[in-house]
Amino acid sequence: MLTLERLHKSTAQVEEYVGMTTICIALHKSGLDGSVEEVPFAVFRGTLSDAPDFDPSFDAETLYNAMKGIGSDKETILDLITSRSNAQRQEVIAAYKCSFGQDLIEDLKYELTGKFERLIVSLMRTPPYHDAKEIHDAVKGAGTNERCLIEILASRNNKQIQDMVAAYKDAYGRDIEEDVIVDTSGHFKKMLVVLLQGTRDESGVVDADLVQQDAQDLYAAGEEKWGTDEATFIMILGNRSVTHLRMVFDEYEKIAEMSIEDSIKNELSGDFERLMLAVVQCIRSVPMFFAKRLYKSMKGLGTADNTLIRIMISRSEIDMLDIRECFRLRYEKSLYNMIQDDTSGDYKRTLLNLCGGDDDLAGEFFPEAAQIAYKMWELSAMTKVQLRPTVRPAPDFDPAADAQALRKAMKGFGTDEDAIIDIVAQRSNAQRQEIRQAFKSLLGRDLMKDLKSELSKNLERLIIGLMLTPAEFDAKMMKKAIEGAGTDEHALIEILVTRSNEEIQAMNDAYRAGYKKSLEDAIHSDTSGHFCRILVSLVQGAREEGPADVERACADAQELADACNAESDDMEIKFMSILCTRSFPHLRRVFQEFVRCTNKDIEQIIKKEMSGDVKNAFYAIVRSVKNQPSYFADRLYKAMKGLGTDDRALIRIMVSRSEVDLFNIRKEFKETHDVSLHEFIQVETMIGDTSGDYRKTLLILCGGED
């Protein structure tokens, strides 16, 4: 948030600092009754603005000449259109018709093709008519583009929605609300209708008592009761002001000991869940919401060009600079570079002009982005996530009956894999250990040896992994990561960073018992340098435990900041001494204070200043401290995306997290990658799994479709 002191800089300094188009930065004024009022100040945050010395007739003639004759001068067209504001483009359209008696948009449609044509033509529409067309395209025909409806209606202010409603009526002769009602259903439809009214409170006045009441009402409507009172969520999230809701969310976290986002994920589902999450994200930060949408539109094998075009156009004169900063903050890559890597030709050049610059060339945050980074760490520190497994103890458990059923499934000619999977994947680890013991006591046989002889490939590895104790499994995974010609450094990092002291100590004991060698010695023999020292520090299982010490956290943050100016070796040693030893709650506060000290995020520093396995280890620690389920969701995505599947990583995570937090990981996976973990496993494990048994077991562990 910019301060008054910052805004009192000269106009030239402010314009140079923040860009060219206006949004509102809110400064808070307290009333005598305890209310809070927002005082708006104009700050330039877009990448497109009015061109100086603008002459619409000259521009119209330039465009006419660029399109006459055989072929068209696309470079001239894109350079001119992306250097004019939308208001100026409307003047060019009028001048074109006056001068040449033709419709400029129709001529552009005729001369241009494909994605480039869609982008240029969309730039020529006014914002209300562009939004209206996007909504119309989303609801017409056989299917509905729910994500488009969510994006537009969750992110627009009252005037933008009211103008869009009027434009829709004018363009299509139909009522937008009626079309949305016909094409949607349930609570999702009700919330869309509320948002379409464009009547959210924008007074800026906040009643502290009502903040407390709304937070309590949301808690009572969801986490506190069996079932969910969706109407309460719709009424509060659909009508209260942005400032009010931000304060409600803070109060809610104190009451529920979890974020409003986590409660929505727990209580709601489907398109209604996605819509409510989008509303919350936009209340917190519209630029961050769009940064996430842009990333999802370009990651993976294909590009969601309609989403990319819609956002780049609609935000280019509003908050594109903030979106760029949020993008770099979250994804450690500039929006400019991602567009450059993911698109081509004149389409790419036009998008890059709208983007306006490459933030990878910059070092520090704009103040707004630094504020967002600081707030993200604050939210991470305040939120107590309820970890939820996908595998729980089976009711009416009978280890002797399960042992007999497993023996029957493996006896005689052929193996009944379905029977084995249904038992092993639907018992807790403690229950599986009882089955192992019962199998030996009743039948005089070693269940593990029988399973190894009857199963093969990935199914065998997965089932055996489930039958081991967590400590035995971790020890085996560490052994596999170390043995042989190459070392799987990512596996070593993942295990040592994410396990508790107790889990690491149990793993050390299991490693020594199973392999007659200490795990620390094995690490020493297979790694070197600072990376080896980091792993040795972590394998002690001696990380501090307990809450943050605020005074010490400020000192730690300053030491990390000072280390950024030191030699590389000294910097890495200082980072190791803090990141490998302090408790996770303490590190959350350290990383928050680091933003205050440096105006940078700790993740960016690690990415920029370090390299190789050291960088990967520190980065994994930071990601785990911030949001461990999100870290595992990314690891799962990387294990499956692309041409081949890293089955060892997939098995390791699915087995080790199924009784800890796999449900949370599922939710993070869906939010980050726009596809459910269940669906992704189904698609990505089809190649090479001819029987489907491996896939079936993974899907049972996954626990359901989101």
Side-chain angles (χ1 to χ4, degrees):
M1 192 76 71
L2 290 179
T3 61
L4 276 172
E5 181 183 358
R6 172 75 74 179
L7 287 165
H8 285 161
K9 286 176 142 189
S10 71
T11 301
Q13 285 177 305
V14 172
E15 288 181 351
E16 179 184 1
Y17 186 71
V18 295
M20 300 218 181
T21 300
T22 62
I23 63 169
C24 282
I25 296 296
L27 299 174
H28 295 117
K29 181 176 73 178
S30 298
L32 295 175
D33 59 354
S35 64
V36 177
E37 184 177 352
E38 283 194 343
V39 184
F41 280 80
V43 181
F44 300 101
R45 301 304 295 155
T47 51
L48 293 188
S49 63
D50 286 341
D53 304 320
F54 171 62
D55 183 344
S57 297
F58 179 79
D59 283 355
E61 184 174 356
T62 301
L63 289 172
Y64 180 79
N65 291 332
M67 291 186 283
K68 75 178 181 180
I70 300 172
S72 55
D73 184 351
K74 297 180 180 65
E75 191 169 330
T76 295
I77 294 170
L78 75 88
D79 283 341
L80 189 150
I81 288 176
T82 58
S83 59
R84 305 294 185 267
S85 68
N86 189 274
Q88 289 177 331
R89 289 182 218 124
Q90 305 315 307
E91 292 188 56
V92 174
I93 290 172
Y96 192 91
K97 184 165 280 189
C98 288
S99 298
F100 305 106
Q102 293 174 217
D103 188 302
L104 175 55
I105 290 180
E106 291 303 317
D107 283 0
L108 288 168
K109 287 180 181 178
Y110 181 79
E111 292 291 333
L112 309 177
T113 59
K115 295 176 284 189
F116 179 53
E117 180 245 321
R118 292 209 306 274
L119 177 54
I120 292 295
V121 168
S122 296
L123 279 164
M124 302 308 296
R125 297 190 184 97
T126 64
Y129 280 85
H130 180 249
D131 280 350
K133 184 179 189 306
E134 291 296 301
I135 294 287
H136 182 260
D137 290 348
V139 297
K140 75 176 184 180
T144 306
N145 185 348
E146 292 86 0
R147 294 178 196 280
C148 174
L149 298 177
I150 290 169
E151 177 198 303
I152 292 174
L153 293 179
S155 64
R156 303 309 194 247
N157 63 31
N158 288 349
K159 185 176 189 309
Q160 289 169 330
I161 289 175
Q162 291 160 6
D163 289 347
M164 176 188 68
V165 169
Y168 193 96
K169 184 77 170 179
D170 180 56
Y172 304 107
R174 299 176 60 86
D175 187 88
I176 191 172
E177 184 178 320
E178 290 178 4
D179 284 357
V180 168
I181 288 172
V182 167
D183 223 53
T184 57
S185 62
H187 298 296
F188 177 58
K189 175 182 71 177
K190 292 174 186 175
M191 185 63 177
L192 291 177
V193 170
V194 168
L195 295 174
L196 273 169
Q197 306 314 301
T199 55
R200 184 182 294 282
D201 177 15
E202 292 181 346
S203 67
V205 176
V206 178
D207 182 334
D209 291 336
L210 186 59
V211 167
Q212 293 279 353
Q213 185 62 54
D214 281 350
Q216 189 60 57
D217 287 349
L218 286 171
Y219 181 64
E223 293 294 335
E224 196 176 41
K225 64 181 289 186
W226 179 260
T228 307
D229 178 7
E230 290 87 354
T232 298
F233 278 82
I234 290 171
M235 187 274 291
I236 294 174
L237 296 184
N239 290 283
R240 302 288 195 253
S241 74
V242 170
T243 311
H244 176 91
L245 285 173
R246 285 176 182 161
M247 297 172 72
V248 168
F249 298 161
D250 288 344
E251 288 302 315
Y252 184 88
E253 283 166 21
K254 295 174 186 175
I255 296 169
E257 295 190 337
M258 68 170 65
S259 69
I260 188 69
E261 289 93 334
D262 285 333
S263 287
I264 288 171
K265 291 174 192 175
N266 291 342
E267 298 294 328
L268 310 180
S269 62
D271 292 323
F272 183 47
E273 175 194 347
R274 281 187 280 274
L275 173 57
M276 299 307 266
L277 284 173
V279 169
V280 171
Q281 289 166 10
C282 288
I283 294 297
R284 290 201 189 278
S285 169
V286 170
M288 182 60 81
F289 170 74
F290 280 114
K292 292 177 182 178
R293 291 284 294 153
L294 284 168
Y295 178 76
K296 290 176 183 178
S297 77
M298 289 182 280
K299 71 174 182 63
L301 296 177
T303 303
D305 292 292
N306 287 343
T307 301
L308 178 57
I309 290 169
R310 182 172 59 248
I311 297 173
M312 295 302 293
I313 288 173
S314 66
R315 311 314 293 185
S316 59
E317 296 186 45
I318 300 176
D319 53 4
M320 185 57 71
L321 286 171
D322 290 315
I323 292 169
R324 279 168 36 183
E325 279 291 290
C326 290
F327 194 97
R328 184 170 63 115
L329 166 66
R330 186 168 180 88
Y331 302 110
E332 295 87 44
K333 180 176 186 176
S334 72
L335 175 59
Y336 189 95
N337 273 333
M338 192 150 184
I339 291 171
Q340 204 163 34
D341 293 344
D342 210 65
T343 59
S344 61
D346 296 317
Y347 176 56
K348 174 172 77 174
R349 282 200 58 205
T350 310
L351 290 170
L352 292 177
N353 284 357
L354 296 177
C355 181
D358 184 1
D359 298 302
D360 283 346
L361 302 176
E364 297 188 353
F365 291 132
F366 288 120
E368 293 82 2
Q371 183 75 14
I372 292 169
Y374 188 85
K375 185 65 176 176
M376 284 170 66
W377 282 114
E378 186 174 56
L379 288 171
S380 177
M382 289 174 63
T383 303
K384 293 183 180 178
V385 178
Q386 179 187 354
L387 300 182
R388 297 174 64 184
T390 55
V391 174
R392 300 177 184 275
D396 304 320
F397 171 61
D398 184 343
D402 283 349
Q404 294 285 5
L406 286 172
R407 177 58 188 150
K408 181 180 177 182
M410 293 184 283
K411 189 166 62 175
F413 184 75
T415 304
D416 186 351
E417 285 89 353
D418 284 340
I420 295 171
I421 293 166
D422 288 340
I423 292 172
V424 174
Q426 299 190 80
R427 305 292 185 269
S428 68
N429 191 272
Q431 289 175 332
R432 292 182 209 121
Q433 304 316 309
E434 290 189 57
I435 295 170
R436 280 176 70 177
Q437 185 59 53
F439 198 88
K440 183 166 283 188
S441 299
L442 294 171
L443 304 167
R445 302 176 66 92
D446 187 313
L447 176 56
M448 303 295 273
K449 288 182 179 177
D450 282 4
L451 288 169
K452 287 179 182 178
S453 69
E454 295 293 330
L455 306 176
S456 63
K457 298 182 179 176
N458 286 326
L459 178 62
E460 180 218 326
R461 298 185 190 102
L462 179 52
I463 293 295
I464 293 299
L466 288 165
M467 294 304 304
L468 294 169
T469 67
E472 290 171 339
F473 181 69
D474 281 347
K476 183 175 181 179
M477 291 298 99
M478 292 293 285
K479 177 69 171 174
K480 291 288 185 184
I482 292 170
E483 71 181 6
T487 304
D488 185 349
E489 292 86 0
H490 288 292
L492 299 178
I493 292 167
E494 176 200 300
I495 294 170
L496 291 176
V497 164
T498 60
R499 302 309 192 252
S500 67
N501 288 345
E502 185 180 352
E503 288 168 334
I504 290 173
Q505 289 157 9
M507 176 180 63
N508 277 322
D509 293 341
Y511 195 95
R512 184 178 290 278
Y515 307 111
K516 312 307 177 189
K517 181 180 183 179
S518 79
L519 181 52
E520 182 179 330
D521 288 344
I523 289 170
H524 266 299
S525 65
D526 211 61
T527 59
S528 60
H530 287 166
F531 180 57
C532 176
R533 294 173 67 175
I534 292 168
L535 297 182
V536 169
S537 175
L538 294 173
V539 84
Q540 305 309 306
R543 183 181 291 280
E544 296 170 5
E545 296 174 339
D549 178 329
V550 176
E551 186 176 343
R552 189 184 181 204
C554 292
D556 285 345
Q558 189 59 58
E559 286 189 38
L560 292 175
D562 293 342
C564 293
N565 300 315
E567 294 293 324
S568 175
D569 280 2
D570 294 337
M571 178 184 180
E572 290 176 0
I573 289 169
K574 176 53 68 179
F575 269 61
M576 181 179 71
S577 71
I578 294 174
L579 270 63
C580 294
T581 62
R582 306 294 196 259
S583 72
F584 275 22
H586 182 84
L587 285 175
R588 288 189 189 102
R589 189 59 188 253
V590 172
F591 299 154
Q592 184 183 2
E593 295 304 321
F594 185 85
V595 176
R596 193 196 298 277
C597 291
T598 65
N599 201 34
K600 299 175 184 177
D601 189 72
I602 192 78
E603 291 180 41
Q604 283 184 311
I605 294 296
I606 290 168
K607 287 275 190 179
K608 185 177 179 181
E609 301 296 335
M610 300 179 188
S611 61
D613 296 325
V614 170
K615 177 186 76 174
N616 293 335
F618 287 143
Y619 181 66
I621 292 172
V622 174
R623 288 294 315 278
S624 293
V625 167
K626 182 181 284 186
N627 185 338
Q628 196 165 96
S630 174
Y631 167 72
F632 278 117
D634 285 347
R635 293 284 297 144
L636 282 169
Y637 181 77
K638 289 172 183 174
M640 289 183 279
K641 76 180 178 73
L643 296 177
T645 300
D646 182 351
D647 291 292
R648 185 173 289 175
L650 177 57
I651 290 169
R652 182 176 63 245
I653 297 171
M654 296 297 289
V655 170
S656 65
R657 310 315 296 182
S658 59
E659 294 186 54
V660 182
D661 56 0
L662 190 51
F663 183 88
N664 307 78
I665 293 167
R666 268 171 41 187
K667 292 293 185 181
E668 293 292 340
F669 194 99
K670 181 69 177 285
E671 175 154 342
T672 304
H673 302 293
D674 245 9
V675 61
S676 72
L677 178 58
H678 191 278
E679 182 183 343
F680 207 64
I681 290 171
Q682 228 167 4
V683 172
E684 297 298 327
T685 58
M686 288 180 74
I687 301 171
D689 183 28
T690 53
S691 69
D693 294 324
Y694 172 52
R695 182 168 68 253
K696 177 185 175 182
T697 313
L698 289 170
L699 293 175
I700 291 173
L701 295 178
C702 182
E705 174 64 271
D706 295 306

